[in-house]
Amino acid sequence: MSERVDLPTLPYMELSPDVAMAPTLLHSLSGANEARRALFAFQPQCVAIEVPRAVRAAFLQGLEELPRVGMIAFKEPKGRSPLVLAMDPCDARIEAARLALENGIRVELVDTLDAGRGETYRSHPDPLALERIGAAAFAEQWMKAMPDVAETTRQKIMAGRIARLAGETRTLVVADVQHTAAFRRLLADRKKAANLPDIDAERELVRLLPMGERLLPLLLGEMPYLTYLYENFRQQASGDEQFEVLPALSEILNKASAQYRDEFDEEVNLTEWRALYQFGRNLSLVRGRLVPGIYELVIASKGCVDDDFGAIALEIAASYPPNQEDQERDPSEDPSRHRSLDLYVDVGEGLDRAEPAYPRPELHTVEFNFKRRRHSQRDRLQWQQDFASQYFFGLGICSWPPEDERIENFFDFLRKRALQSISEDHTTVEEFTSSMLDGLDFRETMRNWHRGRLYVRRERVPPGNVGPVVLVWKDCLLTEQLWRTTLYAENQNESDISVYCAPLGKEMVGPMIARTEYHGILSVFPARGIPDVWTVQELYQWRTSARLLLASAILLCEEKYVAWVAPTPPDRDLVEYARQYNVGIIYLPLASFSRKTLKRLRQVHILGNRQARTWAADYISD
């Protein structure tokens, strides 16, 4: 066992007397954490930010509107395409500016109007390395790995502005790590740097625009909900306290798990959690990351749990609650209405295609292909009304045959499994004499191997067969508002079943197609037109739906045994009740069966009429 040792790290590097730089990676939580540390460690009187000076008014307004995230769109009149700067709370520049203003420190913007236009994005190690070794050490390693190139005009202008600020006050520069070498050289002689040219456009078109949730995953550096958690953290943080990314990712998954449990009454088990975390970590490492991004998070959730959990995780990770009301007034939609990665803004000269102000990694569209069918709220409401009228007038609901076949096969398997379990109780082991009987018993033979003896099994088939089967996921009081009914076989391969389910008609997946979940089922095979047990008042003495089904199975049993598949064994009073009718109850724990199989069986689609079977396959995913 070994413990992690936190080495002393420096969040800034000195460039000249009274000037320090916090070299950072833009749009990253680790960069924001290091910017916080640098500001409290260096204690500047002025913070110089790598943001265009021309957008100062919009920038300050955008800071005031946080946590609602906006975007600054700007350009020269009749110039090239607009540039867009997202007011990303996880960007080191935004965090440094906010923290400085909250502590009464002067904030100056030193970049040019063209910002990073035309520059190439340079790949870098995972941002987590930035805060693990400190910004100063990270920048030193960066300069060793990158080729030394001449300073650009933009870097000279920024250095000149920084030098003139440093002549007045103690200054901390918050800028991308790629400027470190240039700033170190240019600011070595501060007087010479102060004489560098200062050029900017005379007039600029600048607007602070709202940003709908559609754009958040495209323009924010971190997944939107992680950004939201960071906002919650900084409202309570004190001093240079750091935001921990990995626990925040766990919080997203826990929120997804809670929603998954509410929607599907399913728990993510320990094995799935372990697989999810391990797969997410390994996938991140393969992709050159130390911390999973939204892609790794969703793929791991989808692959290790199921598509429903993956879709919920994606929905949560891509959400940013403070910006939800901006969705309807999103000005950035593609005029063709075609969903794409393009961004359109209007800064005063009409809608124009824009680009990020600073280089970003190339974006790719990923199709997750969740096996979930979503429709508009209007469609679902209409389907509910049509289904309700059909069901109310009793025009003949029916099931979906592929699901009938699947669950009938499972009932057949349960009958055989139940009979096998009591057969094992009737099996005896004997020493081999003249016959192998029903086969060699390896366990007893190995125990007596030193004695040189063989042991064989004698299986005695118990009298009778298994008749009705009761399969229970969740017991419910008879007073609860559920859908209880008895459905009858349509052919010789089906059984008569009595079921209780979640209320019918609330969840619609297509016209005349409702989806619900079994809570419990009684299967009687072969079918013989059993009475509707839910209308027999004498059975209501058993108080709960599952107990009523078991009591009904005992009364309807024409064989020796009833199979009871449930989370807990049958109650003693029901065991005694079965003994009165000379019926045995075979208990099979629900946990002994595959969770995924049980989940697949539990979901059921009810059709409003037989005609709906002709189009049901288009709406029901297998």
Side-chain angles (χ1 to χ4, degrees):
M1 297 291 289
S2 62
E3 296 182 0
R4 172 184 157 184
V5 178
D6 291 323
L7 300 174
T9 60
L10 193 63
Y12 64 87
M13 58 193 314
E14 295 185 359
L15 302 180
S16 67
D18 294 331
V19 180
M21 178 178 176
T24 187
L25 296 173
L26 307 183
H27 311 292
S28 72
L29 270 169
S30 296
N33 275 334
E34 282 300 279
R36 291 181 64 88
R37 282 214 309 140
L39 191 134
F40 285 102
F42 187 67
Q43 306 245 326
Q45 297 167 310
C46 174
V47 177
I49 309 289
E50 185 193 355
V51 170
R53 187 170 62 181
V55 305
R56 179 179 177 84
F59 183 78
L60 294 177
Q61 183 183 347
L63 292 179
E64 291 179 1
E65 291 188 2
L66 289 171
R68 180 180 295 169
V69 175
M71 57 182 179
I72 302 173
F74 54 94
K75 62 174 289 190
E76 297 179 29
K78 298 182 181 180
R80 289 179 287 179
S81 60
L83 298 176
V84 169
L85 171 66
M87 297 299 293
D88 185 352
C90 292
D91 191 306
R93 300 165 300 178
I94 307 297
E95 177 58 36
R98 295 175 78 182
L99 207 54
L101 293 174
E102 290 168 1
N103 287 275
I105 300 172
R106 177 181 169 189
V107 174
E108 294 292 339
L109 312 184
V110 296
D111 204 354
T112 63
L113 188 65
D114 270 346
R117 188 198 296 271
E119 295 182 2
T120 303
Y121 174 76
R122 295 182 178 179
S123 61
H124 52 71
D126 189 280
L128 189 63
L130 177 69
E131 58 179 299
R132 286 289 186 262
I133 67 173
F138 187 90
E140 292 289 353
Q141 296 300 318
W142 176 278
M143 288 186 289
K144 290 178 182 178
M146 292 296 166
D148 194 11
V149 295
E151 301 87 1
T152 63
T153 302
R154 173 180 167 230
Q155 289 173 334
K156 291 178 181 178
I157 293 174
M158 285 195 289
R161 292 174 177 176
I162 294 167
R164 286 185 283 276
L165 287 172
E168 306 170 5
T169 183
R170 182 177 172 85
T171 303
L172 175 68
V173 181
V174 180
D176 193 280
V177 66
Q178 65 178 328
H179 302 305
T180 309
F183 284 174
R184 176 185 275 180
R185 287 194 299 268
L186 291 169
L187 292 171
D189 187 344
R190 204 166 64 192
K191 291 184 178 179
K192 182 178 179 181
N195 294 322
L196 290 171
D198 188 355
I199 306 170
D200 222 335
E202 295 182 1
R203 291 182 59 245
E204 304 86 18
L205 298 172
V206 182
R207 282 191 178 180
L208 177 64
L209 302 173
M211 192 191 311
E213 279 197 313
R214 180 188 74 87
L215 282 178
L216 291 171
L218 306 181
L219 294 179
L220 297 185
E222 304 287 352
M223 64 184 77
Y225 199 80
L226 198 60
T227 305
Y228 173 66
L229 294 179
Y230 179 74
E231 269 295 325
N232 293 340
F233 154 80
R234 78 175 310 280
Q235 291 177 10
Q236 304 174 356
S238 58
D240 60 353
E241 186 178 350
Q242 303 289 285
F243 178 79
E244 294 292 338
V245 178
L246 295 178
L249 291 176
S250 294
E251 186 173 341
I252 293 175
L253 292 173
N254 289 335
K255 183 178 176 66
S257 175
Q259 185 174 330
Y260 180 74
R261 180 173 57 250
D262 292 341
E263 288 189 22
F264 302 103
D265 195 23
E266 297 275 351
E267 291 283 355
V268 180
N269 60 43
L270 182 59
T271 301
E272 289 170 331
W273 277 122
R274 287 175 176 169
L276 194 159
Y277 279 110
Q278 183 173 0
F279 182 49
R281 180 202 64 187
N282 293 346
L283 185 59
S284 301
L285 294 175
V286 168
R287 294 171 59 85
R289 298 174 58 97
L290 296 176
V291 178
I294 191 168
Y295 173 79
E296 293 83 11
L297 189 79
V298 174
I299 287 293
S301 299
K302 179 178 184 290
C304 298
V305 185
D306 59 23
D307 288 48
D308 291 318
F309 186 78
I312 292 172
L314 175 60
E315 182 180 341
I316 292 173
S319 67
Y320 186 75
N323 273 48
Q324 287 176 349
E325 62 187 61
D326 288 335
Q327 188 62 36
E328 295 301 322
R329 56 194 186 99
D330 185 356
S332 58
E333 191 70 57
D334 187 329
S336 68
R337 310 305 295 174
H338 175 69
R339 185 175 177 84
S340 69
L341 300 180
D342 295 332
L343 171 66
Y344 288 79
V345 296
D346 183 0
V347 290
E349 295 181 338
L351 207 61
D352 197 3
R353 185 174 177 177
E355 57 184 288
Y358 296 90
R360 302 291 297 270
E362 185 179 359
L363 297 176
H364 300 279
T365 302
V366 177
E367 293 289 342
F368 288 110
N369 295 321
F370 296 117
K371 292 182 179 178
R372 299 180 107 199
R373 188 174 293 273
R374 294 185 178 275
H375 299 276
S376 68
Q377 184 66 18
R378 181 178 179 181
D379 287 341
R380 288 195 293 269
L381 288 174
Q382 184 62 49
W383 293 340
Q384 281 182 330
Q385 294 171 5
D386 294 343
F387 186 87
S389 62
Q390 187 90 353
Y391 183 60
F392 178 78
F393 289 107
L395 299 180
I397 62 170
C398 61
S399 57
W400 175 232
E403 292 177 343
D404 294 341
E405 183 179 355
R406 187 182 305 138
I407 200 161
E408 289 297 342
N409 290 338
F410 189 67
F411 283 138
D412 184 56
F413 166 74
L414 290 178
R415 290 183 178 93
K416 294 176 181 176
R417 174 83 172 265
L419 198 59
Q420 180 185 4
S421 69
I422 59 172
S423 296
E424 293 172 354
D425 295 337
H426 290 76
T427 299
T428 59
V429 179
E430 302 176 4
E431 185 176 349
F432 172 74
T433 55
S434 59
S435 173
M436 291 296 291
L437 298 180
D438 294 303
L440 184 69
D441 188 272
F442 287 97
R443 180 179 298 178
E444 195 64 27
T445 298
M446 292 304 297
R447 285 176 180 166
N448 294 275
W449 187 256
H450 64 288
R451 301 170 62 188
R453 296 179 181 180
L454 299 179
Y455 286 81
V456 293
R457 289 180 292 108
R458 183 189 295 274
E459 296 178 356
R460 294 182 175 86
V461 179
N465 292 311
V466 177
V469 176
V470 181
L471 174 58
V472 175
W473 283 271
K474 177 182 179 182
D475 198 3
C476 302
L477 294 174
L478 289 169
T479 54
E480 291 187 44
Q481 294 298 315
L482 299 173
W483 183 54
R484 298 179 176 87
T485 191
T486 297
L487 302 173
Y488 297 97
E490 296 183 53
N491 56 62
Q492 70 276 12
N493 297 319
E494 293 184 353
S495 58
D496 293 335
I497 61 173
S498 290
V499 303
Y500 63 100
C501 308
L504 188 64
K506 288 189 175 182
E507 185 179 0
M508 303 298 298
V509 299
M512 289 296 165
I513 306 172
R515 178 164 58 201
T516 185
E517 284 187 338
Y518 290 125
H519 291 335
I521 315 173
L522 161 64
S523 167
V524 178
F525 184 86
R528 56 179 186 268
I530 64 173
D532 184 358
V533 300
W534 304 110
T535 63
V536 180
Q537 291 299 319
E538 290 79 3
L539 292 174
Y540 276 66
Q541 63 175 310
W542 298 107
R543 300 187 305 282
T544 71
S545 299
R547 285 164 55 85
L548 184 148
L549 287 186
L550 182 54
S552 303
I554 294 168
L555 292 175
L556 295 169
C557 183
E558 296 180 350
E559 299 289 349
K560 179 67 175 174
Y561 301 103
V562 167
W564 167 256
V565 186
T568 58
D571 296 332
R572 290 184 179 180
D573 54 347
L574 281 164
V575 174
E576 181 60 33
Y577 185 69
R579 188 177 293 115
Q580 294 174 15
Y581 287 89
N582 197 30
V583 173
I585 301 177
I586 303 173
Y587 169 57
L588 300 176
L590 190 69
S592 64
F593 298 94
S594 165
R595 179 178 174 275
K596 289 190 175 182
T597 298
L598 291 172
K599 179 186 175 182
R600 191 180 184 204
L601 292 169
R602 188 177 187 183
Q603 188 176 95
V604 60
H605 294 84
I606 301 297
L607 313 184
N609 52 46
R610 292 181 183 274
Q611 187 181 1
R613 286 177 173 174
T614 60
W615 63 75
D618 296 332
Y619 295 89
I620 300 175
S621 60
D622 186 11

